[in-house]
Amino acid sequence: MKSIAPILLLSMFLSACTPIDLSVSKDGKILIPREGGFYSFDPATSKAELLSPAKKATFGLYSPSGKGALLYADGVFYSKPVSKPATKIKSVENLTYAVYLPGGSALAYTAVTGKSDPELKEGFAEIHLIANGKDTLLMKRSAKLLRPLSDGSLLAIRIDKVNKSKENHKSYTGKLVRLSTAGKTTDLCTVTGTGEMFLAVRGDSKKALLVCYAAGTYKPAAGNRRGKPSEQCYEVDLATGKVTLVANTEKINYAIYSPSGKHVLMQTDDNLIVTDAAFKVRTTLATDGAAQVGGFGQSTDAYPGWYDETTIYYLRKVKVYGSNCVNMHLTLVDVKTKAKRDLQPAIDQAILNVTK
């Protein structure tokens, strides 16, 4: 019994795993956490810079001001100003996500507490704010993701209920909320999904995209033979809370607005699709994307993203050493021409050059 107890314990808590979510700077550099540290790679010159060494580089963000970056490694947040060494901000265990607030003077993050909620009998993430040298708890029972809004508030999902189907499939019901830096919440709509519900905000902070089982007045789609419903994509008007179902024809992993908000990037299993803002014109750009990475056991979400208004980036599955051994190559795709540029050889060579 002792050998399986840790597995049973872990199943009671929301996964404390940060996604692979690369950050792009204002001048087009990509922040890459990997073995050995945090690197800044410039696709225009194919050159890399070591921002900071680290034993376990996990998560990084360029600051909105362009004057530095936030780094998370070995359970610690670091601030990395331009041309200066990284300095410790705070130790945070079980990080699941982090964002800068507009302007870059404050940071919000989610982290799993490791404590069971007394009402729902399960462990969840909490939302914290780091501002003026102080760490403040803003909201308990949060889903993993949160997004900053232009008015300085946050968009998040509060979990209110744990659901179990007759097939023993688990889901969560709660509210999409606007969260102030004082900890006040304003409910926008009802949400049901897994603990990994994906959330994205349009650049003008007027609309958001939710990938989940159901939102607003919509009901979950019929389940598969094991009783598990499929994720669907909903668009939410953040002024009114009105929810519109915009995509439900296949399993959707992620949906992300382009910088201008005129297009949306969706990942459906291995497929990368770009649509117009009305979700009517759809163009498949790739069929070899990795939505998750990792082998047996716990996997890690791998988010694609917009490098700029006309280019997306994603982790491409590349078969090596037979048909079953797969590597991940960071790849750029031109939205108009569908031309691909594999960055991985240049990244690996550039990092090798700076670490010799």
PDB file of all heavy atoms in Angstrom, residues 14-41:
ATOM      1  N   LEU A  14      -5.054  19.615  -8.062  1.00  0.00           N
ATOM      2  CA  LEU A  14      -4.853  20.143  -9.400  1.00  0.00           C
ATOM      3  C   LEU A  14      -3.389  20.029  -9.777  1.00  0.00           C
ATOM      4  O   LEU A  14      -2.509  20.247  -8.956  1.00  0.00           O
ATOM      5  CB  LEU A  14      -5.284  21.612  -9.432  1.00  0.00           C
ATOM      6  CG  LEU A  14      -5.186  22.355 -10.748  1.00  0.00           C
ATOM      7  CD1 LEU A  14      -6.287  21.885 -11.689  1.00  0.00           C
ATOM      8  CD2 LEU A  14      -5.314  23.851 -10.518  1.00  0.00           C
ATOM      9  N   SER A  15      -3.122  19.669 -11.010  1.00  0.00           N
ATOM     10  CA  SER A  15      -1.749  19.513 -11.471  1.00  0.00           C
ATOM     11  C   SER A  15      -0.946  20.792 -11.261  1.00  0.00           C
ATOM     12  O   SER A  15      -1.342  21.871 -11.674  1.00  0.00           O
ATOM     13  CB  SER A  15      -1.753  19.151 -12.964  1.00  0.00           C
ATOM     14  OG  SER A  15      -0.456  19.209 -13.492  1.00  0.00           O
ATOM     15  N   ALA A  16       0.201  20.649 -10.583  1.00  0.00           N
ATOM     16  CA  ALA A  16       1.061  21.805 -10.318  1.00  0.00           C
ATOM     17  C   ALA A  16       2.180  21.847 -11.347  1.00  0.00           C
ATOM     18  O   ALA A  16       3.350  21.679 -11.032  1.00  0.00           O
ATOM     19  CB  ALA A  16       1.629  21.724  -8.904  1.00  0.00           C
ATOM     20  N   CYS A  17       1.822  22.072 -12.585  1.00  0.00           N
ATOM     21  CA  CYS A  17       2.789  22.027 -13.679  1.00  0.00           C
ATOM     22  C   CYS A  17       2.607  23.253 -14.561  1.00  0.00           C
ATOM     23  O   CYS A  17       1.501  23.517 -15.035  1.00  0.00           O
ATOM     24  CB  CYS A  17       2.592  20.751 -14.483  1.00  0.00           C
ATOM     25  SG  CYS A  17       3.770  20.522 -15.823  1.00  0.00           S
ATOM     26  N   THR A  18       3.676  24.005 -14.773  1.00  0.00           N
ATOM     27  CA  THR A  18       3.577  25.163 -15.648  1.00  0.00           C
ATOM     28  C   THR A  18       3.592  24.708 -17.100  1.00  0.00           C
ATOM     29  O   THR A  18       4.302  23.769 -17.462  1.00  0.00           O
ATOM     30  CB  THR A  18       4.758  26.124 -15.424  1.00  0.00           C
ATOM     31  OG1 THR A  18       5.978  25.397 -15.579  1.00  0.00           O
ATOM     32  CG2 THR A  18       4.707  26.741 -14.046  1.00  0.00           C
ATOM     33  N   PRO A  19       2.812  25.341 -17.972  1.00  0.00           N
ATOM     34  CA  PRO A  19       2.821  24.971 -19.386  1.00  0.00           C
ATOM     35  C   PRO A  19       4.072  25.500 -20.078  1.00  0.00           C
ATOM     36  O   PRO A  19       4.774  26.367 -19.553  1.00  0.00           O
ATOM     37  CB  PRO A  19       1.576  25.680 -19.919  1.00  0.00           C
ATOM     38  CG  PRO A  19       1.447  26.893 -19.048  1.00  0.00           C
ATOM     39  CD  PRO A  19       1.885  26.445 -17.682  1.00  0.00           C
ATOM     40  N   ILE A  20       4.350  24.973 -21.244  1.00  0.00           N
ATOM     41  CA  ILE A  20       5.363  25.564 -22.121  1.00  0.00           C
ATOM     42  C   ILE A  20       4.673  26.702 -22.860  1.00  0.00           C
ATOM     43  O   ILE A  20       3.840  26.487 -23.733  1.00  0.00           O
ATOM     44  CB  ILE A  20       5.925  24.530 -23.098  1.00  0.00           C
ATOM     45  CG1 ILE A  20       6.619  23.411 -22.330  1.00  0.00           C
ATOM     46  CG2 ILE A  20       6.895  25.191 -24.082  1.00  0.00           C
ATOM     47  CD1 ILE A  20       7.034  22.244 -23.198  1.00  0.00           C
ATOM     48  N   ASP A  21       4.979  27.922 -22.462  1.00  0.00           N
ATOM     49  CA  ASP A  21       4.324  29.103 -23.022  1.00  0.00           C
ATOM     50  C   ASP A  21       5.411  30.143 -23.271  1.00  0.00           C
ATOM     51  O   ASP A  21       5.766  30.911 -22.375  1.00  0.00           O
ATOM     52  CB  ASP A  21       3.271  29.632 -22.043  1.00  0.00           C
ATOM     53  CG  ASP A  21       2.401  30.716 -22.657  1.00  0.00           C
ATOM     54  OD1 ASP A  21       2.452  30.886 -23.888  1.00  0.00           O
ATOM     55  OD2 ASP A  21       1.674  31.399 -21.911  1.00  0.00           O
ATOM     56  N   LEU A  22       5.961  30.150 -24.467  1.00  0.00           N
ATOM     57  CA  LEU A  22       7.106  30.997 -24.776  1.00  0.00           C
ATOM     58  C   LEU A  22       6.709  32.461 -24.858  1.00  0.00           C
ATOM     59  O   LEU A  22       5.593  32.797 -25.241  1.00  0.00           O
ATOM     60  CB  LEU A  22       7.750  30.545 -26.084  1.00  0.00           C
ATOM     61  CG  LEU A  22       8.222  29.092 -26.118  1.00  0.00           C
ATOM     62  CD1 LEU A  22       8.838  28.766 -27.476  1.00  0.00           C
ATOM     63  CD2 LEU A  22       9.216  28.802 -25.000  1.00  0.00           C
ATOM     64  N   SER A  23       7.635  33.321 -24.507  1.00  0.00           N
ATOM     65  CA  SER A  23       7.399  34.760 -24.494  1.00  0.00           C
ATOM     66  C   SER A  23       8.198  35.413 -25.615  1.00  0.00           C
ATOM     67  O   SER A  23       9.366  35.069 -25.851  1.00  0.00           O
ATOM     68  CB  SER A  23       7.824  35.345 -23.139  1.00  0.00           C
ATOM     69  OG  SER A  23       7.603  36.734 -23.082  1.00  0.00           O
ATOM     70  N   VAL A  24       7.560  36.358 -26.327  1.00  0.00           N
ATOM     71  CA  VAL A  24       8.201  37.085 -27.419  1.00  0.00           C
ATOM     72  C   VAL A  24       8.339  38.550 -27.022  1.00  0.00           C
ATOM     73  O   VAL A  24       7.372  39.176 -26.590  1.00  0.00           O
ATOM     74  CB  VAL A  24       7.395  36.970 -28.731  1.00  0.00           C
ATOM     75  CG1 VAL A  24       8.067  37.755 -29.854  1.00  0.00           C
ATOM     76  CG2 VAL A  24       7.230  35.507 -29.131  1.00  0.00           C
ATOM     77  N   SER A  25       9.532  39.102 -27.154  1.00  0.00           N
ATOM     78  CA  SER A  25       9.784  40.490 -26.769  1.00  0.00           C
ATOM     79  C   SER A  25       9.299  41.455 -27.839  1.00  0.00           C
ATOM     80  O   SER A  25       8.947  41.053 -28.955  1.00  0.00           O
ATOM     81  CB  SER A  25      11.282  40.706 -26.532  1.00  0.00           C
ATOM     82  OG  SER A  25      12.003  40.593 -27.756  1.00  0.00           O
ATOM     83  N   LYS A  26       9.301  42.718 -27.511  1.00  0.00           N
ATOM     84  CA  LYS A  26       8.876  43.747 -28.469  1.00  0.00           C
ATOM     85  C   LYS A  26       9.735  43.771 -29.712  1.00  0.00           C
ATOM     86  O   LYS A  26       9.260  44.115 -30.804  1.00  0.00           O
ATOM     87  CB  LYS A  26       8.907  45.124 -27.787  1.00  0.00           C
ATOM     88  CG  LYS A  26       7.831  45.333 -26.730  1.00  0.00           C
ATOM     89  CD  LYS A  26       7.909  46.741 -26.165  1.00  0.00           C
ATOM     90  CE  LYS A  26       6.792  47.003 -25.174  1.00  0.00           C
ATOM     91  NZ  LYS A  26       6.841  48.379 -24.626  1.00  0.00           N
ATOM     92  N   ASP A  27      11.017  43.399 -29.572  1.00  0.00           N
ATOM     93  CA  ASP A  27      11.909  43.415 -30.735  1.00  0.00           C
ATOM     94  C   ASP A  27      12.072  42.032 -31.362  1.00  0.00           C
ATOM     95  O   ASP A  27      13.009  41.782 -32.118  1.00  0.00           O
ATOM     96  CB  ASP A  27      13.269  44.003 -30.365  1.00  0.00           C
ATOM     97  CG  ASP A  27      13.942  43.266 -29.216  1.00  0.00           C
ATOM     98  OD1 ASP A  27      13.309  42.340 -28.654  1.00  0.00           O
ATOM     99  OD2 ASP A  27      15.090  43.604 -28.872  1.00  0.00           O
ATOM    100  N   GLY A  28      11.142  41.095 -31.057  1.00  0.00           N
ATOM    101  CA  GLY A  28      11.093  39.831 -31.771  1.00  0.00           C
ATOM    102  C   GLY A  28      11.974  38.720 -31.251  1.00  0.00           C
ATOM    103  O   GLY A  28      12.146  37.702 -31.935  1.00  0.00           O
ATOM    104  N   LYS A  29      12.504  38.835 -30.051  1.00  0.00           N
ATOM    105  CA  LYS A  29      13.305  37.763 -29.478  1.00  0.00           C
ATOM    106  C   LYS A  29      12.406  36.800 -28.696  1.00  0.00           C
ATOM    107  O   LYS A  29      11.384  37.196 -28.161  1.00  0.00           O
ATOM    108  CB  LYS A  29      14.399  38.336 -28.582  1.00  0.00           C
ATOM    109  CG  LYS A  29      15.409  39.186 -29.348  1.00  0.00           C
ATOM    110  CD  LYS A  29      16.433  39.806 -28.427  1.00  0.00           C
ATOM    111  CE  LYS A  29      17.407  40.683 -29.207  1.00  0.00           C
ATOM    112  NZ  LYS A  29      18.376  41.366 -28.316  1.00  0.00           N
ATOM    113  N   ILE A  30      12.807  35.539 -28.649  1.00  0.00           N
ATOM    114  CA  ILE A  30      12.024  34.503 -27.988  1.00  0.00           C
ATOM    115  C   ILE A  30      12.752  34.053 -26.734  1.00  0.00           C
ATOM    116  O   ILE A  30      13.943  33.708 -26.780  1.00  0.00           O
ATOM    117  CB  ILE A  30      11.788  33.308 -28.926  1.00  0.00           C
ATOM    118  CG1 ILE A  30      11.093  33.762 -30.215  1.00  0.00           C
ATOM    119  CG2 ILE A  30      10.940  32.241 -28.235  1.00  0.00           C
ATOM    120  CD1 ILE A  30      10.976  32.665 -31.270  1.00  0.00           C
ATOM    121  N   LEU A  31      12.047  34.032 -25.608  1.00  0.00           N
ATOM    122  CA  LEU A  31      12.635  33.620 -24.338  1.00  0.00           C
ATOM    123  C   LEU A  31      12.445  32.108 -24.198  1.00  0.00           C
ATOM    124  O   LEU A  31      11.318  31.620 -24.196  1.00  0.00           O
ATOM    125  CB  LEU A  31      11.974  34.354 -23.173  1.00  0.00           C
ATOM    126  CG  LEU A  31      12.751  34.424 -21.850  1.00  0.00           C
ATOM    127  CD1 LEU A  31      12.156  35.496 -20.949  1.00  0.00           C
ATOM    128  CD2 LEU A  31      12.777  33.101 -21.118  1.00  0.00           C
ATOM    129  N   ILE A  32      13.547  31.382 -24.064  1.00  0.00           N
ATOM    130  CA  ILE A  32      13.507  29.924 -24.064  1.00  0.00           C
ATOM    131  C   ILE A  32      14.079  29.376 -22.759  1.00  0.00           C
ATOM    132  O   ILE A  32      15.283  29.475 -22.514  1.00  0.00           O
ATOM    133  CB  ILE A  32      14.296  29.346 -25.255  1.00  0.00           C
ATOM    134  CG1 ILE A  32      13.716  29.876 -26.575  1.00  0.00           C
ATOM    135  CG2 ILE A  32      14.278  27.824 -25.221  1.00  0.00           C
ATOM    136  CD1 ILE A  32      14.507  29.472 -27.799  1.00  0.00           C
ATOM    137  N   PRO A  33      13.240  28.808 -21.887  1.00  0.00           N
ATOM    138  CA  PRO A  33      13.755  28.079 -20.718  1.00  0.00           C
ATOM    139  C   PRO A  33      14.151  26.668 -21.156  1.00  0.00           C
ATOM    140  O   PRO A  33      13.363  25.973 -21.794  1.00  0.00           O
ATOM    141  CB  PRO A  33      12.556  28.039 -19.752  1.00  0.00           C
ATOM    142  CG  PRO A  33      11.477  28.856 -20.386  1.00  0.00           C
ATOM    143  CD  PRO A  33      11.777  28.899 -21.848  1.00  0.00           C
ATOM    144  N   ARG A  34      15.348  26.241 -20.829  1.00  0.00           N
ATOM    145  CA  ARG A  34      15.785  24.897 -21.205  1.00  0.00           C
ATOM    146  C   ARG A  34      16.938  24.469 -20.315  1.00  0.00           C
ATOM    147  O   ARG A  34      17.355  25.215 -19.421  1.00  0.00           O
ATOM    148  CB  ARG A  34      16.171  24.819 -22.683  1.00  0.00           C
ATOM    149  CG  ARG A  34      17.276  25.759 -23.095  1.00  0.00           C
ATOM    150  CD  ARG A  34      17.663  25.559 -24.530  1.00  0.00           C
ATOM    151  NE  ARG A  34      18.528  24.386 -24.727  1.00  0.00           N
ATOM    152  CZ  ARG A  34      18.793  23.851 -25.916  1.00  0.00           C
ATOM    153  NH1 ARG A  34      18.244  24.352 -27.006  1.00  0.00           N
ATOM    154  NH2 ARG A  34      19.586  22.817 -26.034  1.00  0.00           N
ATOM    155  N   GLU A  35      17.440  23.302 -20.537  1.00  0.00           N
ATOM    156  CA  GLU A  35      18.534  22.803 -19.711  1.00  0.00           C
ATOM    157  C   GLU A  35      19.698  23.791 -19.722  1.00  0.00           C
ATOM    158  O   GLU A  35      20.141  24.235 -20.773  1.00  0.00           O
ATOM    159  CB  GLU A  35      19.002  21.441 -20.229  1.00  0.00           C
ATOM    160  CG  GLU A  35      20.097  20.815 -19.373  1.00  0.00           C
ATOM    161  CD  GLU A  35      20.550  19.461 -19.909  1.00  0.00           C
ATOM    162  OE1 GLU A  35      20.126  19.093 -21.020  1.00  0.00           O
ATOM    163  OE2 GLU A  35      21.317  18.799 -19.208  1.00  0.00           O
ATOM    164  N   GLY A  36      20.143  24.148 -18.553  1.00  0.00           N
ATOM    165  CA  GLY A  36      21.277  25.050 -18.428  1.00  0.00           C
ATOM    166  C   GLY A  36      20.910  26.477 -18.113  1.00  0.00           C
ATOM    167  O   GLY A  36      21.741  27.253 -17.635  1.00  0.00           O
ATOM    168  N   GLY A  37      19.648  26.878 -18.417  1.00  0.00           N
ATOM    169  CA  GLY A  37      19.267  28.250 -18.089  1.00  0.00           C
ATOM    170  C   GLY A  37      18.230  28.835 -19.019  1.00  0.00           C
ATOM    171  O   GLY A  37      17.559  28.142 -19.775  1.00  0.00           O
ATOM    172  N   PHE A  38      18.140  30.153 -18.973  1.00  0.00           N
ATOM    173  CA  PHE A  38      17.189  30.912 -19.790  1.00  0.00           C
ATOM    174  C   PHE A  38      17.956  31.600 -20.916  1.00  0.00           C
ATOM    175  O   PHE A  38      18.948  32.291 -20.673  1.00  0.00           O
ATOM    176  CB  PHE A  38      16.478  31.966 -18.941  1.00  0.00           C
ATOM    177  CG  PHE A  38      15.624  31.390 -17.852  1.00  0.00           C
ATOM    178  CD1 PHE A  38      16.158  31.098 -16.604  1.00  0.00           C
ATOM    179  CD2 PHE A  38      14.270  31.142 -18.064  1.00  0.00           C
ATOM    180  CE1 PHE A  38      15.370  30.575 -15.590  1.00  0.00           C
ATOM    181  CE2 PHE A  38      13.477  30.618 -17.063  1.00  0.00           C
ATOM    182  CZ  PHE A  38      14.022  30.333 -15.826  1.00  0.00           C
ATOM    183  N   TYR A  39      17.457  31.424 -22.126  1.00  0.00           N
ATOM    184  CA  TYR A  39      18.130  31.980 -23.298  1.00  0.00           C
ATOM    185  C   TYR A  39      17.187  32.888 -24.068  1.00  0.00           C
ATOM    186  O   TYR A  39      15.981  32.647 -24.139  1.00  0.00           O
ATOM    187  CB  TYR A  39      18.618  30.866 -24.219  1.00  0.00           C
ATOM    188  CG  TYR A  39      19.686  29.999 -23.601  1.00  0.00           C
ATOM    189  CD1 TYR A  39      19.340  28.920 -22.798  1.00  0.00           C
ATOM    190  CD2 TYR A  39      21.030  30.268 -23.811  1.00  0.00           C
ATOM    191  CE1 TYR A  39      20.318  28.126 -22.212  1.00  0.00           C
ATOM    192  CE2 TYR A  39      22.019  29.478 -23.233  1.00  0.00           C
ATOM    193  CZ  TYR A  39      21.652  28.407 -22.436  1.00  0.00           C
ATOM    194  OH  TYR A  39      22.616  27.622 -21.854  1.00  0.00           O
ATOM    195  N   SER A  40      17.747  33.927 -24.668  1.00  0.00           N
ATOM    196  CA  SER A  40      17.019  34.804 -25.571  1.00  0.00           C
ATOM    197  C   SER A  40      17.514  34.515 -26.980  1.00  0.00           C
ATOM    198  O   SER A  40      18.709  34.655 -27.268  1.00  0.00           O
ATOM    199  CB  SER A  40      17.267  36.270 -25.201  1.00  0.00           C
ATOM    200  OG  SER A  40      16.645  37.134 -26.126  1.00  0.00           O
ATOM    201  N   PHE A  41      16.599  34.103 -27.865  1.00  0.00           N
ATOM    202  CA  PHE A  41      16.961  33.754 -29.237  1.00  0.00           C
ATOM    203  C   PHE A  41      16.323  34.722 -30.206  1.00  0.00           C
ATOM    204  O   PHE A  41      15.127  35.013 -30.126  1.00  0.00           O
ATOM    205  CB  PHE A  41      16.519  32.331 -29.576  1.00  0.00           C
ATOM    206  CG  PHE A  41      16.811  31.931 -30.992  1.00  0.00           C
ATOM    207  CD1 PHE A  41      18.093  31.596 -31.387  1.00  0.00           C
ATOM    208  CD2 PHE A  41      15.792  31.907 -31.946  1.00  0.00           C
ATOM    209  CE1 PHE A  41      18.370  31.235 -32.705  1.00  0.00           C
ATOM    210  CE2 PHE A  41      16.054  31.546 -33.261  1.00  0.00           C
ATOM    211  CZ  PHE A  41      17.355  31.213 -33.638  1.00  0.00           C
TER     212      PHE A  41
END
